[in-house]
Amino acid sequence: MNPPLAALVGAAIAAYLTAGAAAQPAQAPNSLGPDWRLQQNEVRQGVTERRLKPLGQVIEHLRRHMGGRLLDSGLEYRSGQPIYRIRWMTRDGRRVDLLVDAATGRVLSGG
């Protein structure tokens, strides 16, 4: 390959790769992002210190009383109170958003 053609091909490849990187969508604001591991560690520590109910126990309680299955969950704070935000799929296919007191396991809203 002659030098001018090689330079042209190299420039075309570089432009293609740069355009591909620029076309990548930014991380969605509702995606897990880099903080999900911190949230897991926070819940794990809270359970170890007996400040929080294990999420598994909360989910099993919901499964026994409501039927259905877990879609998504996370830990939030409302007025300083730890809350599990749980998205649940009912037996009949409806999505229910639940707020559960993470310290007691009591359903605060939804369901």
Side-chain angles (χ1 to χ4, degrees), residues 28-103:
N30 293 332
S31 67
L32 289 173
D35 295 333
W36 69 271
R37 283 193 179 108
L38 295 175
Q39 187 181 85
Q40 282 185 328
N41 291 339
E42 184 178 352
V43 171
R44 192 174 293 118
Q45 183 177 355
V47 169
T48 301
E49 295 171 356
R50 298 181 186 259
R51 291 183 294 111
L52 303 178
K53 284 275 193 194
L55 185 57
Q57 285 181 8
V58 172
I59 291 168
E60 185 56 35
H61 174 80
L62 293 172
R63 191 173 288 127
R64 280 193 316 269
H65 289 88
M66 293 179 61
R69 65 183 178 90
L70 174 72
L71 294 175
D72 182 24
S73 64
L75 180 69
E76 298 178 356
Y77 286 89
R78 304 255 168 121
S79 301
Q81 180 182 7
I83 303 289
Y84 288 129
R85 177 204 33 82
I86 298 175
R87 289 189 182 124
W88 193 262
M89 179 71 68
T90 64
R91 287 184 188 137
D92 60 358
R94 291 180 304 115
R95 187 185 103 177
V96 178
D97 293 327
L98 302 159
L99 295 179
V100 177
D101 184 322

